[in-house]
Amino acid sequence: MDAEALRTFVTVAETGQFQAAADELGISQQAVSKRIVALERHLGVMLLVRTSRGSRPSPDGQVFLPHAKRILAVVEQAEQAVRPGSRPLRVDVLNRRISPAQVVYRFHRSHPERELDVVTLSAENAAQAAQAVLEGTVDASFRALPADQVPAGISAERLMDAPLELLVGPGHPLADAPHVRPAKLAGHRIWIPGIMPGTEWAAFYRTLSEAFGLSIDALGPDFGPEALMDTLAESDSLATLVGRGDRYLWPQAHDLRRIPLRDPTPVYPHVLLFRSGDQHPVLTALRDYLRTAGPRTPQDVWAPEWVAGRGRYRLNSPSAPDA
């Protein structure tokens, strides 16, 4: 059933004149007549009685009128529900501990009037997350997606690079270093439990290992971040990598050290994926926030060449420098 025909019938019934209804709807009187005729043909009844003084609902029209009004009200509610800005922006941050979650949280703190629905599609890889965006399951997702895997209809904007830091216990040989060159990590075991094959972070760490000759593994069970912190605190050889903006907490007695990596600075490139042409005002505000108030990245950046999106920075991808 044509909603515009219903709206036309209700308008004629309320105004009593085809021309008055046409003026109110912004269409011609002929268009009003065609809509009414089509609606009456669809229902198989006469809805309006035409007289020299105007039009009034027929007995069938009187019965149909309140139903038509309820249908139009439901249509209006449905349209309002999906108009840009009428619902919260649904954003996938992958993991609530890492940089995207923290920066979206800061965005929310600075723009509390902007409605957000933050989710973590942690079981999906980047390609699956992009499909979720395309299908409308979420409005946006932070992922390191290869350029050749960005589906049609999706925009990829590299707006946030997370510099990597080495996290070690107090007994590690590099515990007191103010900063470390990535090539200096060759020969040290870097343990990152929970790396899942086929994910974008698995591809990232594989590329990082190849570029700088690093030994990165995920051997053994993954008991979560707290167990990882305990293990690092007790070890004089294990290290892990975390993003500068990642939020991890540990007991003070652990005395863990976060050591910046420099010369170059490896970054994890969080690319914002969203539907091309999406006009949701909170998405626009979030993108503007990331461009202007998001975390800054040093000039000596290293990132995988395969990552999608063009960021704010001049991106360098050098081969591993001499140790």
Side-chain angles (χ1 to χ4, degrees):
M1 188 176 296
D2 185 354
E4 291 305 315
L6 286 178
R7 185 171 288 108
T8 302
F9 163 67
V10 170
T11 305
V12 172
E14 291 178 341
T15 63
Q17 298 283 341
F18 273 52
Q19 185 58 57
D23 293 341
E24 184 170 326
L25 295 171
I27 58 178
S28 67
Q29 182 175 340
Q30 184 181 18
V32 170
S33 298
K34 287 183 177 180
R35 289 180 181 180
I36 297 300
V37 170
L39 182 60
E40 290 178 328
R41 184 181 299 117
H42 174 76
L43 294 173
V45 298
M46 183 178 67
L47 296 174
L48 294 168
V49 176
R50 287 78 162 174
T51 70
S52 59
R53 301 179 61 181
S55 299
R56 58 180 174 79
S58 68
D60 285 324
Q62 293 175 30
V63 172
F64 184 64
L65 183 59
H67 297 288
K69 289 181 177 180
R70 283 196 294 270
I71 293 171
L72 290 175
V74 171
V75 170
E76 173 61 25
Q77 291 173 358
E79 291 175 347
Q80 180 63 33
V82 296
R83 284 175 186 149
S86 62
R87 60 173 179 78
L89 183 75
R90 189 171 174 83
V91 184
D92 163 42
V93 296
L94 179 61
N95 185 306
R96 298 189 191 278
R97 294 180 181 270
I98 63 176
S99 296
Q102 305 310 312
V103 76
V104 171
Y105 172 65
R106 291 194 294 274
F107 167 77
H108 171 68
R109 290 287 300 271
S110 61
H111 298 79
E113 76 284 0
R114 305 286 191 176
E115 293 192 64
L116 288 169
D117 183 10
V118 179
V119 299
T120 56
L121 302 181
S122 54
E124 284 80 2
N125 60 28
Q128 292 167 331
Q131 189 63 31
V133 174
L134 193 62
E135 294 172 353
T137 304
V138 294
D139 296 300
S141 178
F142 287 91
R143 297 288 171 149
L145 186 66
D148 60 359
Q149 292 184 19
V150 179
I154 292 293
S155 293
E157 194 169 5
R158 183 170 161 187
L159 293 173
M160 186 173 61
D161 287 347
L164 295 187
E165 295 179 334
L166 190 71
L167 183 62
V168 298
H172 193 278
L174 299 173
D176 295 323
H179 54 81
V180 177
R181 297 174 67 195
K184 289 291 186 181
L185 298 179
H188 294 276
R189 184 189 175 195
I190 301 174
W191 185 44
I192 307 180
I195 297 177
M196 294 187 291
T199 59
E200 66 270 26
W201 56 94
F204 171 83
Y205 287 121
R206 181 171 61 252
T207 306
L208 179 67
S209 298
E210 294 169 351
F212 297 99
L214 307 185
S215 176
I216 299 177
D217 70 74
L219 300 176
D222 177 16
F223 290 105
E226 290 74 16
L228 174 61
M229 305 298 117
D230 293 342
T231 302
L232 292 174
E234 298 168 357
S235 175
D236 59 2
S237 61
L238 281 182
T240 195
L241 294 172
V242 296
R244 182 180 296 172
D246 296 357
R247 189 172 186 178
Y248 291 97
L249 302 176
W250 53 82
Q252 186 175 0
H254 279 11
D255 193 22
L256 300 185
R257 319 289 176 83
R258 297 181 75 138
I259 305 168
L261 300 183
R262 297 180 184 169
D263 192 23
T265 299
V267 297
Y268 192 96
H270 294 287
V271 177
L272 186 65
L273 306 176
F274 54 93
R275 288 184 297 279
S276 300
D278 191 337
Q279 298 299 312
H280 197 298
V282 182
L283 175 63
T284 300
L286 176 61
R287 292 168 62 199
D288 290 342
Y289 177 85
L290 289 169
R291 293 190 193 101
T292 60
R296 300 292 94 189
T297 297
Q299 290 298 314
D300 65 331
V301 166
W302 176 92
E305 295 181 351
W306 45 257
V307 71
R310 293 183 297 175
R312 295 169 291 163
Y313 317 108
R314 179 175 59 85
L315 304 178
N316 304 315
S317 296
S319 58
D322 293 336

